[in-house]
Amino acid sequence: MHASFSSSTHQPPTINTTTNPPSSHPASVSKAAIEEIKTLLENDIRVKVAGIDLDGILRGKIMAKTKFLSILESGFGFCSIVYGWDMHDKPYAEELSVSNAANGYKDMIAIPDLSSFRRIPWENDIPFFLLSFYDPNTRAPLAVCPRGVLKRVTDELASLGWEAMCGIELEFYNFKETPKTMAEKGFTNPQALTTGMYGYSLLRPTQNQDYFYDIYDQCRNFGINIEGFHTETGPGSFEAALAYDSAAKMADMASLFKLSVKQLGIQHGIMPTFMAKPYIDKPGSSGHLHFSIRDINTKANLFAASTASASGPGGLIPLGQQMHSPTSDSEETAEARASLNAALEQPAWETSVEGVQMMSQTMKYFVAGLLTALPSIMCILAPNINSYKRLVENYWAPVTISWGVESRVSAIRVIGPPQCEAKGTRLEMRVCGADVNPHLAIAACLAAGMYGIKKRLAMPVEPTAVETGEGPIRGERLPKSLKESAMKMLEKGSIAREVLGDEFVEHYGATRMNEHRIWETAVTDWEMKRYFELV
């Protein structure tokens, strides 16, 4: 994936809304923006809207244009059950605070994000808007709304004069199936779209050329900028790299990309899957995330050592300006200075490992925070039972708290010169599978990285390139199951609680434990084949 800070590819119309309101209040919409929307929708009679649930699934409907235009400022009621049930619409066994029988599964307030406007080209260009959800009583962003969770993090960055830039690479397998044929087969033995293990093939796409090019072209027309698209190593496996953009735009594009591929697949008689591990004996599907932070005004990349040295302290938060800390200002300052002094006692790898020198101190703190928080946010990066089938030893997927320069066997891969220009310096989070919820994963990684910057954390483990007499450095093993990672998140005083808030953690953690309980009582095909006859 190539990092680029601008793109000449198709973009949806830009809607001029008012200045950014505080994240604790719904966005106010200017009359000019409303008039602009009325003009853009002049020849339409209906509009499609959708919000995003905790599993990354878009939940929405079609509205009459007259109804849509009437709710642009006040929003409209949307049933909160989308945060009270799982991906198969079964209410959670444990009733959660947002939506439950006691509150009658009451409505939350949905407000369209006018800046998300685009038209769906394969649905006769119907207008489409993404929704954000708010509490009906306080009008504050709903604590569990993925777009709201990400906005809280990006608002914090903006308050420091920074913005996060992101990219995502999504791998997915494709099958000559439909939802009907798979249901009839009990979701077993799907027929692969193509045969063989053939990454970067120029032959395989021609076997399904209309589908392959339709994904690229239609996504472009839908405001999803694909930077690279190719076959991955696996039967019928594709990978799309979305062009680098701001964190919020990237999360929206990634969520809409998944939906787009599934809808286009239906039209072509093809069924894609973003499962992390659909095959036992073949590679899983990753959802690698790329991150950097830049100055909002100068656009300088604060992860690049050359930028940091040229602009002073590299954009570091002033000592004492630490958030979510129970200590007094003087105690904060003393703690921060102690952490800084410890960090400045450079270990040997700081100068001996090639490539480390191109990392700014800001980037090192960010990586350290992400590594330190990784077990605590693991159930966001690996949100399903199947996610952990991909994260096993002897496959090209990370299983430990680890990092390295250009290291594809580590949880975090640091990328910089000479592999790219200094302005393209970034990190790649390699833990995520394609089943990830982009908004939550990006929010969790950014919040964890900011935790490292605010605390001025030292790296918890040496880079993978460093070797001892027993071989390469290996950090702590990451959680091996959804239950283990959910319990890590739910622990009292977890980093996830500090950076994402108790309300979100309690709710989200409970949904993952619910998923584990469903799996725990399931009787699988493996059990039937192994035990039915012989036990």
Side-chain angles (χ1 to χ4, degrees), residues 303 347-361 363-372 374 398-416 425-431 457-467 472-476 478:
F303 280 2
W349 55 261
E350 283 270 11
T351 54
S352 63
V353 175
E354 184 179 0
V356 170
Q357 297 78 15
M358 57 80 182
M359 299 170 64
S360 71
Q361 187 60 58
M363 184 181 196
K364 292 173 185 175
Y365 287 147
F366 189 98
V367 173
L370 191 45
L371 289 170
T372 302
L374 191 49
V399 296
T400 63
I401 297 174
S402 53
W403 72 282
V405 178
E406 276 298 328
S407 173
R408 283 187 166 87
V409 298
S410 301
I412 295 177
R413 169 185 168 223
V414 172
I415 306 165
T425 302
R426 63 197 187 278
L427 65 84
E428 178 187 32
M429 167 51 71
R430 296 181 58 82
V431 172
L457 296 181
M459 292 288 189
V461 64
E462 296 181 337
T464 303
V466 174
E467 297 195 4
I473 293 290
R474 290 288 181 266
E476 174 190 337
L478 291 170

Side-chain angles (χ1 to χ4, degrees), residues 54 78-86 90-108 135-136 142-144 503 507 510-511:
L54 287 173
F78 199 110
C79 184
S80 63
I81 190 60
V82 297
Y83 294 116
W85 62 19
D86 66 14
K90 183 176 180 180
Y92 299 125
E94 176 187 348
E95 291 202 325
L96 305 178
S97 60
V98 171
S99 185
N100 52 58
N103 68 22
Y105 304 102
K106 65 180 181 181
D107 275 357
M108 52 195 174
D135 184 282
L142 203 67
V144 297
E503 190 174 359
H507 187 105
T511 70

